Amino acid sequence: MTQDGTDKPDTPGEEKKPLVEYPSVYEYKVMGKATVEETPEFEEHVRSLFRRKMGMEVSPDSIHVQHSRKGKFVSLSVSVLLLSEEQRRGIYEALHQDPRIVYYL
């Protein structure tokens, strides 16, 4: 597999295709520790993070919430319209630095 994630070998002078074509709807998976009572707070925390990084509001309809079986964790699927690879990576960096987020994809 090549560095760009394709199975095609690198050929000198050949232009590489990006993994994601922009603009594109992209889905992030974000997990945090929470009880059922704290879920709205965690969901708003994640929405706020996306709002800061994207410069626009994220619709509540774009977020799907799922609780773990015992209620210790909450998982959010957040679908957003990305305009660039820099924007996608910036959001991943913010997720990585946030202490409330225990896992993300």
Side-chain angles (χ1 to χ4, degrees), residues 20-105:
V20 179
E21 302 267 339
Y22 296 98
S24 178
V25 175
Y26 194 84
E27 184 176 85
Y28 292 86
K29 301 276 188 180
V30 182
M31 185 185 292
K33 288 184 180 179
T35 63
V36 175
E37 296 82 30
E38 294 173 336
T39 299
E41 181 184 321
F42 181 73
E43 183 179 351
E44 183 52 41
H45 176 76
V46 172
R47 281 184 69 214
S48 175
L49 180 144
F50 276 84
R51 185 182 316 116
R52 283 191 315 272
K53 293 307 293 179
M54 296 183 66
M56 59 189 294
E57 189 64 43
V58 176
S59 167
D61 295 338
S62 298
I63 300 175
H64 173 74
V65 179
Q66 184 171 346
H67 297 277
S68 66
R69 198 171 300 158
K70 294 182 180 180
K72 184 175 180 179
F73 296 98
V74 62
S75 173
L76 305 178
S77 297
V78 184
S79 296
V80 294
L81 178 65
L82 296 180
L83 303 176
S84 69
E85 179 66 15
E86 292 78 25
Q87 190 177 36
R88 185 180 75 87
R89 289 177 188 239
I91 292 170
Y92 274 124
E93 182 63 30
L95 293 171
H96 177 72
Q97 293 176 356
D98 193 303
R100 289 191 65 186
I101 295 171
V102 295
Y103 189 76
Y104 57 90
L105 291 173

